Amino acid sequence: QVQLVESGGGLVQAGNSLRLSCAVSGRTFSNSAMGWFRQAPGKEREFVASIRWGGGHTYYSDDIKGRFTISRDAGKKTVLLQMNNLRPEDSAVYYCAAGNTVITSTIRSSSAYHYWGQGTQVTVSS
């Protein structure tokens, strides 16, 4: 069993930065993937970024590439999402997710992840 707890959301002005953190408890595997997804009101949950627990290979959605950076600290069992140059359209609830065996072709799909955090609100004002 894996438990995930997000923190770091808040209200910021456009152009500013936020860093989200996801604390991971429970067993992880080298082929595990940790992901960040977001969901705005009235919209589907969408992929933001993910990282392989072993090896650290990263994947990003085109919407945030170059502005967001995902990283992990294996020792502290924490996954971070550094969000720079935020835009109003980035406003959403951001969810941390974990999947024990995630193949590359599905790493951007929410259905590939078995464990989810409770979400943290990010609001970007214009």
Side-chain angles (χ1 to χ4, degrees):
Q1 188 74 11
V2 175
Q3 292 183 326
L4 308 172
V5 179
E6 303 102 331
S7 60
L11 171 64
V12 295
Q13 289 188 325
N16 285 350
S17 300
L18 275 177
R19 188 175 74 170
L20 304 183
S21 179
C22 176
V24 183
S25 61
R27 189 174 180 182
T28 56
F29 301 88
S30 61
N31 60 348
S32 296
M34 301 296 303
W36 286 97
F37 289 76
R38 66 186 183 186
Q39 188 167 18
K43 293 188 176 182
E44 298 285 323
R45 188 171 297 189
E46 64 176 6
F47 170 77
V48 176
S50 63
I51 186 168
R52 290 286 184 190
W53 197 257
H57 194 84
T58 57
Y59 306 81
Y60 294 98
S61 75
D62 289 340
D63 288 346
I64 57 84
K65 194 176 292 184
R67 299 189 295 123
F68 292 10
T69 302
I70 189 171
S71 61
R72 87 247 190 270
D73 184 327
K76 294 181 180 179
K77 296 197 77 173
T78 301
V79 178
L80 302 174
L81 184 68
Q82 178 66 42
M83 305 185 295
N84 297 330
N85 192 21
L86 283 160
R87 304 167 180 169
E89 54 264 38
D90 294 318
S91 297
V93 177
Y94 282 70
Y95 296 92
C96 179
N100 282 339
T101 304
V102 181
I103 60 176
T104 301
S105 62
T106 63
I107 203 164
R108 293 175 173 82
S109 172
S110 61
S111 61
Y113 296 82
H114 310 101
Y115 306 100
W116 293 83
Q118 80 287 354
T120 186
Q121 178 71 48
V122 172
T123 303
V124 184
S125 63
S126 56

